[in-house]
PDB file of all heavy atoms in Angstrom:
ATOM      1  N   LEU E   8       2.842  21.646  -3.165  1.00 93.00           N
ATOM      2  CA  LEU E   8       3.799  21.607  -4.262  1.00 93.00           C
ATOM      3  C   LEU E   8       5.039  20.816  -3.822  1.00 93.00           C
ATOM      4  O   LEU E   8       5.694  21.194  -2.855  1.00 93.00           O
ATOM      5  CB  LEU E   8       4.207  23.021  -4.682  1.00 93.00           C
ATOM      6  CG  LEU E   8       3.078  23.948  -5.153  1.00 93.00           C
ATOM      7  CD1 LEU E   8       3.619  25.344  -5.413  1.00 93.00           C
ATOM      8  CD2 LEU E   8       2.413  23.396  -6.368  1.00 93.00           C
ATOM      9  N   ASP E   9       5.315  19.727  -4.526  1.00 94.00           N
ATOM     10  CA  ASP E   9       6.514  18.929  -4.272  1.00 94.00           C
ATOM     11  C   ASP E   9       7.501  19.290  -5.384  1.00 94.00           C
ATOM     12  O   ASP E   9       7.386  18.833  -6.514  1.00 94.00           O
ATOM     13  CB  ASP E   9       6.166  17.437  -4.295  1.00 94.00           C
ATOM     14  CG  ASP E   9       7.344  16.571  -3.895  1.00 94.00           C
ATOM     15  OD1 ASP E   9       8.334  17.116  -3.363  1.00 94.00           O
ATOM     16  OD2 ASP E   9       7.273  15.348  -4.133  1.00 94.00           O
ATOM     17  N   VAL E  10       8.462  20.130  -5.055  1.00 92.00           N
ATOM     18  CA  VAL E  10       9.343  20.730  -6.048  1.00 92.00           C
ATOM     19  C   VAL E  10      10.562  19.844  -6.278  1.00 92.00           C
ATOM     20  O   VAL E  10      11.233  19.442  -5.329  1.00 92.00           O
ATOM     21  CB  VAL E  10       9.771  22.144  -5.597  1.00 92.00           C
ATOM     22  CG1 VAL E  10      10.689  22.790  -6.618  1.00 92.00           C
ATOM     23  CG2 VAL E  10       8.555  23.001  -5.342  1.00 92.00           C
ATOM     24  N   HIS E  11      10.835  19.555  -7.555  1.00 90.00           N
ATOM     25  CA  HIS E  11      12.021  18.819  -7.966  1.00 90.00           C
ATOM     26  C   HIS E  11      12.827  19.698  -8.910  1.00 90.00           C
ATOM     27  O   HIS E  11      12.433  20.826  -9.203  1.00 90.00           O
ATOM     28  CB  HIS E  11      11.601  17.518  -8.668  1.00 90.00           C
ATOM     29  CG  HIS E  11      10.788  16.628  -7.782  1.00 90.00           C
ATOM     30  ND1 HIS E  11      11.354  15.766  -6.883  1.00 90.00           N
ATOM     31  CD2 HIS E  11       9.445  16.470  -7.645  1.00 90.00           C
ATOM     32  CE1 HIS E  11      10.403  15.108  -6.230  1.00 90.00           C
ATOM     33  NE2 HIS E  11       9.234  15.529  -6.680  1.00 90.00           N
ATOM     34  N   LYS E  12      13.905  19.187  -9.426  1.00 88.00           N
ATOM     35  CA  LYS E  12      14.793  19.986 -10.273  1.00 88.00           C
ATOM     36  C   LYS E  12      14.092  20.434 -11.559  1.00 88.00           C
ATOM     37  O   LYS E  12      14.181  21.595 -11.946  1.00 88.00           O
ATOM     38  CB  LYS E  12      16.025  19.175 -10.624  1.00 88.00           C
ATOM     39  CG  LYS E  12      17.054  19.942 -11.411  1.00 88.00           C
ATOM     40  CD  LYS E  12      18.298  19.105 -11.633  1.00 88.00           C
ATOM     41  CE  LYS E  12      19.317  19.875 -12.438  1.00 88.00           C
ATOM     42  NZ  LYS E  12      20.507  19.060 -12.679  1.00 88.00           N
ATOM     43  N   ASP E  13      13.374  19.524 -12.236  1.00 90.00           N
ATOM     44  CA  ASP E  13      12.764  19.842 -13.522  1.00 90.00           C
ATOM     45  C   ASP E  13      11.239  19.824 -13.503  1.00 90.00           C
ATOM     46  O   ASP E  13      10.618  20.087 -14.526  1.00 90.00           O
ATOM     47  CB  ASP E  13      13.233  18.851 -14.590  1.00 90.00           C
ATOM     48  CG  ASP E  13      14.718  18.990 -14.880  1.00 90.00           C
ATOM     49  OD1 ASP E  13      15.232  20.128 -14.739  1.00 90.00           O
ATOM     50  OD2 ASP E  13      15.342  17.981 -15.241  1.00 90.00           O
ATOM     51  N   SER E  14      10.630  19.498 -12.380  1.00 92.00           N
ATOM     52  CA  SER E  14       9.162  19.387 -12.360  1.00 92.00           C
ATOM     53  C   SER E  14       8.628  19.708 -10.978  1.00 92.00           C
ATOM     54  O   SER E  14       9.376  19.759 -10.001  1.00 92.00           O
ATOM     55  CB  SER E  14       8.730  17.973 -12.774  1.00 92.00           C
ATOM     56  OG  SER E  14       9.208  17.034 -11.821  1.00 92.00           O
ATOM     57  N   ILE E  15       7.316  19.903 -10.931  1.00 93.00           N
ATOM     58  CA  ILE E  15       6.611  20.169  -9.665  1.00 93.00           C
ATOM     59  C   ILE E  15       5.371  19.273  -9.648  1.00 93.00           C
ATOM     60  O   ILE E  15       4.545  19.344 -10.550  1.00 93.00           O
ATOM     61  CB  ILE E  15       6.211  21.652  -9.548  1.00 93.00           C
ATOM     62  CG1 ILE E  15       7.441  22.554  -9.604  1.00 93.00           C
ATOM     63  CG2 ILE E  15       5.414  21.886  -8.274  1.00 93.00           C
ATOM     64  CD1 ILE E  15       7.127  24.023  -9.634  1.00 93.00           C
ATOM     65  N   ALA E  16       5.257  18.442  -8.613  1.00 94.00           N
ATOM     66  CA  ALA E  16       4.062  17.617  -8.421  1.00 94.00           C
ATOM     67  C   ALA E  16       3.062  18.429  -7.574  1.00 94.00           C
ATOM     68  O   ALA E  16       3.439  19.042  -6.596  1.00 94.00           O
ATOM     69  CB  ALA E  16       4.414  16.312  -7.737  1.00 94.00           C
ATOM     70  N   VAL E  17       1.794  18.403  -7.991  1.00 94.00           N
ATOM     71  CA  VAL E  17       0.773  19.236  -7.338  1.00 94.00           C
ATOM     72  C   VAL E  17      -0.305  18.343  -6.727  1.00 94.00           C
ATOM     73  O   VAL E  17      -0.777  17.404  -7.358  1.00 94.00           O
ATOM     74  CB  VAL E  17       0.129  20.198  -8.374  1.00 94.00           C
ATOM     75  CG1 VAL E  17      -0.914  21.073  -7.700  1.00 94.00           C
ATOM     76  CG2 VAL E  17       1.178  21.037  -9.065  1.00 94.00           C
ATOM     77  N   SER E  18      -0.679  18.662  -5.473  1.00 94.00           N
ATOM     78  CA  SER E  18      -1.797  18.012  -4.798  1.00 94.00           C
ATOM     79  C   SER E  18      -2.723  19.083  -4.253  1.00 94.00           C
ATOM     80  O   SER E  18      -2.291  20.185  -3.918  1.00 94.00           O
ATOM     81  CB  SER E  18      -1.300  17.133  -3.653  1.00 94.00           C
ATOM     82  OG  SER E  18      -0.515  16.089  -4.156  1.00 94.00           O
ATOM     83  N   LEU E  19      -4.014  18.755  -4.160  1.00 94.00           N
ATOM     84  CA  LEU E  19      -5.017  19.711  -3.684  1.00 94.00           C
ATOM     85  C   LEU E  19      -5.741  19.153  -2.478  1.00 94.00           C
ATOM     86  O   LEU E  19      -6.025  17.947  -2.416  1.00 94.00           O
ATOM     87  CB  LEU E  19      -6.040  19.992  -4.791  1.00 94.00           C
ATOM     88  CG  LEU E  19      -5.491  20.496  -6.110  1.00 94.00           C
ATOM     89  CD1 LEU E  19      -6.643  20.629  -7.126  1.00 94.00           C
ATOM     90  CD2 LEU E  19      -4.795  21.817  -5.937  1.00 94.00           C
ATOM     91  N   ALA E  20      -6.058  20.027  -1.521  1.00 92.00           N
ATOM     92  CA  ALA E  20      -6.795  19.637  -0.323  1.00 92.00           C
ATOM     93  C   ALA E  20      -7.817  20.721  -0.006  1.00 92.00           C
ATOM     94  O   ALA E  20      -7.445  21.815   0.423  1.00 92.00           O
ATOM     95  CB  ALA E  20      -5.840  19.432   0.858  1.00 92.00           C
ATOM     96  N   PRO E  21      -9.115  20.453  -0.218  1.00 90.00           N
ATOM     97  CA  PRO E  21     -10.140  21.446   0.139  1.00 90.00           C
ATOM     98  C   PRO E  21     -10.252  21.569   1.655  1.00 90.00           C
ATOM     99  O   PRO E  21     -10.029  20.602   2.394  1.00 90.00           O
ATOM    100  CB  PRO E  21     -11.419  20.879  -0.452  1.00 90.00           C
ATOM    101  CG  PRO E  21     -11.036  19.694  -1.272  1.00 90.00           C
ATOM    102  CD  PRO E  21      -9.662  19.311  -0.890  1.00 90.00           C
ATOM    103  N   SER E  22     -10.603  22.767   2.134  1.00 86.00           N
ATOM    104  CA  SER E  22     -10.697  22.980   3.579  1.00 86.00           C
ATOM    105  C   SER E  22     -11.888  22.276   4.202  1.00 86.00           C
ATOM    106  O   SER E  22     -11.879  22.010   5.399  1.00 86.00           O
ATOM    107  CB  SER E  22     -10.798  24.490   3.865  1.00 86.00           C
ATOM    108  OG  SER E  22     -11.986  25.019   3.267  1.00 86.00           O
ATOM    109  N   ASP E  23     -12.907  21.920   3.400  1.00 85.00           N
ATOM    110  CA  ASP E  23     -14.083  21.276   3.963  1.00 85.00           C
ATOM    111  C   ASP E  23     -14.006  19.757   3.890  1.00 85.00           C
ATOM    112  O   ASP E  23     -14.985  19.056   4.055  1.00 85.00           O
ATOM    113  CB  ASP E  23     -15.339  21.767   3.257  1.00 85.00           C
ATOM    114  CG  ASP E  23     -15.284  21.554   1.755  1.00 85.00           C
ATOM    115  OD1 ASP E  23     -14.219  21.136   1.259  1.00 85.00           O
ATOM    116  OD2 ASP E  23     -16.296  21.789   1.078  1.00 85.00           O
ATOM    117  N   SER E  24     -12.799  19.207   3.637  1.00 84.00           N
ATOM    118  CA  SER E  24     -12.643  17.758   3.514  1.00 84.00           C
ATOM    119  C   SER E  24     -11.298  17.361   4.115  1.00 84.00           C
ATOM    120  O   SER E  24     -10.401  18.176   4.250  1.00 84.00           O
ATOM    121  CB  SER E  24     -12.702  17.358   2.034  1.00 84.00           C
ATOM    122  OG  SER E  24     -12.404  16.000   1.875  1.00 84.00           O
ATOM    123  N   THR E  25     -11.157  16.088   4.445  1.00 86.00           N
ATOM    124  CA  THR E  25      -9.885  15.596   4.947  1.00 86.00           C
ATOM    125  C   THR E  25      -9.108  14.877   3.842  1.00 86.00           C
ATOM    126  O   THR E  25      -8.020  14.378   4.081  1.00 86.00           O
ATOM    127  CB  THR E  25     -10.114  14.603   6.095  1.00 86.00           C
ATOM    128  OG1 THR E  25     -10.935  13.527   5.628  1.00 86.00           O
ATOM    129  CG2 THR E  25     -10.768  15.286   7.272  1.00 86.00           C
ATOM    130  N   GLU E  26      -9.644  14.852   2.632  1.00 89.00           N
ATOM    131  CA  GLU E  26      -9.032  14.150   1.514  1.00 89.00           C
ATOM    132  C   GLU E  26      -8.037  15.041   0.780  1.00 89.00           C
ATOM    133  O   GLU E  26      -8.301  16.222   0.550  1.00 89.00           O
ATOM    134  CB  GLU E  26     -10.113  13.709   0.529  1.00 89.00           C
ATOM    135  CG  GLU E  26      -9.605  12.927  -0.649  1.00 89.00           C
ATOM    136  CD  GLU E  26     -10.712  12.561  -1.613  1.00 89.00           C
ATOM    137  OE1 GLU E  26     -11.866  12.876  -1.341  1.00 89.00           O
ATOM    138  OE2 GLU E  26     -10.382  11.963  -2.624  1.00 89.00           O
ATOM    139  N   VAL E  27      -6.906  14.464   0.421  1.00 91.00           N
ATOM    140  CA  VAL E  27      -5.915  15.151  -0.403  1.00 91.00           C
ATOM    141  C   VAL E  27      -5.897  14.453  -1.750  1.00 91.00           C
ATOM    142  O   VAL E  27      -5.773  13.240  -1.842  1.00 91.00           O
ATOM    143  CB  VAL E  27      -4.501  15.084   0.231  1.00 91.00           C
ATOM    144  CG1 VAL E  27      -3.468  15.724  -0.671  1.00 91.00           C
ATOM    145  CG2 VAL E  27      -4.519  15.763   1.585  1.00 91.00           C
ATOM    146  N   ARG E  28      -6.055  15.245  -2.834  1.00 92.00           N
ATOM    147  CA  ARG E  28      -6.109  14.686  -4.198  1.00 92.00           C
ATOM    148  C   ARG E  28      -4.873  15.078  -4.973  1.00 92.00           C
ATOM    149  O   ARG E  28      -4.430  16.216  -4.891  1.00 92.00           O
ATOM    150  CB  ARG E  28      -7.342  15.218  -4.942  1.00 92.00           C
ATOM    151  CG  ARG E  28      -8.660  14.827  -4.315  1.00 92.00           C
ATOM    152  CD  ARG E  28      -9.795  15.455  -5.057  1.00 92.00           C
ATOM    153  NE  ARG E  28      -9.816  16.872  -4.765  1.00 92.00           N
ATOM    154  CZ  ARG E  28     -10.361  17.787  -5.546  1.00 92.00           C
ATOM    155  NH1 ARG E  28     -10.907  17.455  -6.679  1.00 92.00           N
ATOM    156  NH2 ARG E  28     -10.341  19.056  -5.205  1.00 92.00           N
ATOM    157  N   ARG E  29      -4.339  14.151  -5.725  1.00 94.00           N
ATOM    158  CA  ARG E  29      -3.222  14.447  -6.612  1.00 94.00           C
ATOM    159  C   ARG E  29      -3.770  15.137  -7.837  1.00 94.00           C
ATOM    160  O   ARG E  29      -4.713  14.658  -8.477  1.00 94.00           O
ATOM    161  CB  ARG E  29      -2.513  13.158  -6.995  1.00 94.00           C
ATOM    162  CG  ARG E  29      -1.328  13.395  -7.885  1.00 94.00           C
ATOM    163  CD  ARG E  29      -0.697  12.083  -8.295  1.00 94.00           C
ATOM    164  NE  ARG E  29       0.190  12.296  -9.422  1.00 94.00           N
ATOM    165  CZ  ARG E  29       1.504  12.386  -9.324  1.00 94.00           C
ATOM    166  NH1 ARG E  29       2.058  12.260  -8.146  1.00 94.00           N
ATOM    167  NH2 ARG E  29       2.237  12.593 -10.394  1.00 94.00           N
ATOM    168  N   TYR E  30      -3.212  16.274  -8.197  1.00 92.00           N
ATOM    169  CA  TYR E  30      -3.675  17.043  -9.359  1.00 92.00           C
ATOM    170  C   TYR E  30      -2.859  16.689 -10.592  1.00 92.00           C
ATOM    171  O   TYR E  30      -3.402  16.548 -11.664  1.00 92.00           O
ATOM    172  CB  TYR E  30      -3.571  18.541  -9.060  1.00 92.00           C
ATOM    173  CG  TYR E  30      -4.097  19.416 -10.168  1.00 92.00           C
ATOM    174  CD1 TYR E  30      -5.466  19.583 -10.355  1.00 92.00           C
ATOM    175  CD2 TYR E  30      -3.240  20.084 -11.021  1.00 92.00           C
ATOM    176  CE1 TYR E  30      -5.949  20.378 -11.362  1.00 92.00           C
ATOM    177  CE2 TYR E  30      -3.715  20.886 -12.036  1.00 92.00           C
ATOM    178  CZ  TYR E  30      -5.071  21.026 -12.204  1.00 92.00           C
ATOM    179  OH  TYR E  30      -5.559  21.825 -13.204  1.00 92.00           O
ATOM    180  N   GLY E  31      -1.551  16.570 -10.454  1.00 92.00           N
ATOM    181  CA  GLY E  31      -0.717  16.231 -11.588  1.00 92.00           C
ATOM    182  C   GLY E  31       0.690  16.780 -11.445  1.00 92.00           C
ATOM    183  O   GLY E  31       1.082  17.240 -10.386  1.00 92.00           O
ATOM    184  N   VAL E  32       1.447  16.721 -12.541  1.00 94.00           N
ATOM    185  CA  VAL E  32       2.825  17.191 -12.563  1.00 94.00           C
ATOM    186  C   VAL E  32       2.921  18.284 -13.632  1.00 94.00           C
ATOM    187  O   VAL E  32       2.346  18.187 -14.710  1.00 94.00           O
ATOM    188  CB  VAL E  32       3.777  16.029 -12.906  1.00 94.00           C
ATOM    189  CG1 VAL E  32       5.217  16.504 -12.963  1.00 94.00           C
ATOM    190  CG2 VAL E  32       3.635  14.910 -11.890  1.00 94.00           C
ATOM    191  N   LEU E  33       3.659  19.336 -13.318  1.00 93.00           N
ATOM    192  CA  LEU E  33       3.866  20.412 -14.282  1.00 93.00           C
ATOM    193  C   LEU E  33       5.332  20.751 -14.354  1.00 93.00           C
ATOM    194  O   LEU E  33       6.127  20.235 -13.578  1.00 93.00           O
ATOM    195  CB  LEU E  33       3.036  21.648 -13.926  1.00 93.00           C
ATOM    196  CG  LEU E  33       3.261  22.274 -12.563  1.00 93.00           C
ATOM    197  CD1 LEU E  33       3.447  23.757 -12.704  1.00 93.00           C
ATOM    198  CD2 LEU E  33       2.027  22.019 -11.735  1.00 93.00           C
ATOM    199  N   GLY E  34       5.693  21.594 -15.300  1.00 91.00           N
ATOM    200  CA  GLY E  34       7.093  22.003 -15.466  1.00 91.00           C
ATOM    201  C   GLY E  34       7.582  22.790 -14.271  1.00 91.00           C
ATOM    202  O   GLY E  34       6.813  23.207 -13.402  1.00 91.00           O
ATOM    203  N   GLY E  35       8.871  23.011 -14.210  1.00 89.00           N
ATOM    204  CA  GLY E  35       9.451  23.639 -13.035  1.00 89.00           C
ATOM    205  C   GLY E  35       9.684  25.126 -13.146  1.00 89.00           C
ATOM    206  O   GLY E  35      10.426  25.690 -12.355  1.00 89.00           O
ATOM    207  N   THR E  36       9.024  25.812 -14.086  1.00 90.00           N
ATOM    208  CA  THR E  36       9.250  27.255 -14.255  1.00 90.00           C
ATOM    209  C   THR E  36       8.196  28.063 -13.517  1.00 90.00           C
ATOM    210  O   THR E  36       7.136  27.561 -13.156  1.00 90.00           O
ATOM    211  CB  THR E  36       9.240  27.643 -15.748  1.00 90.00           C
ATOM    212  OG1 THR E  36       7.915  27.449 -16.252  1.00 90.00           O
ATOM    213  CG2 THR E  36      10.244  26.822 -16.538  1.00 90.00           C
ATOM    214  N   HIS E  37       8.515  29.319 -13.350  1.00 90.00           N
ATOM    215  CA  HIS E  37       7.605  30.263 -12.689  1.00 90.00           C
ATOM    216  C   HIS E  37       6.313  30.411 -13.493  1.00 90.00           C
ATOM    217  O   HIS E  37       5.223  30.496 -12.909  1.00 90.00           O
ATOM    218  CB  HIS E  37       8.304  31.608 -12.522  1.00 90.00           C
ATOM    219  CG  HIS E  37       7.486  32.647 -11.820  1.00 90.00           C
ATOM    220  ND1 HIS E  37       7.195  32.562 -10.467  1.00 90.00           N
ATOM    221  CD2 HIS E  37       6.886  33.771 -12.266  1.00 90.00           C
ATOM    222  CE1 HIS E  37       6.448  33.593 -10.130  1.00 90.00           C
ATOM    223  NE2 HIS E  37       6.246  34.350 -11.189  1.00 90.00           N
ATOM    224  N   ASP E  38       6.408  30.441 -14.804  1.00 92.00           N
ATOM    225  CA  ASP E  38       5.218  30.572 -15.663  1.00 92.00           C
ATOM    226  C   ASP E  38       4.279  29.389 -15.508  1.00 92.00           C
ATOM    227  O   ASP E  38       3.061  29.545 -15.583  1.00 92.00           O
ATOM    228  CB  ASP E  38       5.641  30.720 -17.117  1.00 92.00           C
ATOM    229  CG  ASP E  38       6.341  32.049 -17.393  1.00 92.00           C
ATOM    230  OD1 ASP E  38       6.096  33.000 -16.619  1.00 92.00           O
ATOM    231  OD2 ASP E  38       7.135  32.100 -18.356  1.00 92.00           O
ATOM    232  N   ASP E  39       4.828  28.199 -15.301  1.00 91.00           N
ATOM    233  CA  ASP E  39       3.995  27.009 -15.091  1.00 91.00           C
ATOM    234  C   ASP E  39       3.161  27.136 -13.817  1.00 91.00           C
ATOM    235  O   ASP E  39       1.995  26.776 -13.779  1.00 91.00           O
ATOM    236  CB  ASP E  39       4.838  25.754 -15.038  1.00 91.00           C
ATOM    237  CG  ASP E  39       5.534  25.442 -16.352  1.00 91.00           C
ATOM    238  OD1 ASP E  39       4.951  25.766 -17.400  1.00 91.00           O
ATOM    239  OD2 ASP E  39       6.640  24.870 -16.318  1.00 91.00           O
ATOM    240  N   VAL E  40       3.776  27.669 -12.770  1.00 91.00           N
ATOM    241  CA  VAL E  40       3.059  27.843 -11.506  1.00 91.00           C
ATOM    242  C   VAL E  40       1.987  28.922 -11.652  1.00 91.00           C
ATOM    243  O   VAL E  40       0.876  28.771 -11.137  1.00 91.00           O
ATOM    244  CB  VAL E  40       4.039  28.171 -10.367  1.00 91.00           C
ATOM    245  CG1 VAL E  40       3.300  28.439  -9.067  1.00 91.00           C
ATOM    246  CG2 VAL E  40       5.039  27.040 -10.183  1.00 91.00           C
TER     247      VAL E  40
END
């Protein structure tokens, strides 16, 4: 989670792989997480 003032960028990394994938951007509230 890359947290900013109004948004959070999300990336995913499975344990069985060395690849990190960008998932997207969501709002910055607790409910969004």
Side-chain angles (χ1 to χ4, degrees):
L8 301 175
D9 186 14
V10 180
H11 300 276
K12 185 176 179 181
D13 294 330
S14 64
I15 300 174
V17 181
S18 296
L19 304 176
S22 62
D23 57 353
S24 174
T25 58
E26 181 182 358
V27 176
R28 297 177 288 156
R29 181 183 165 101
Y30 183 77
V32 179
L33 58 131
T36 66
H37 182 70
D38 292 335
D39 294 328
V40 177

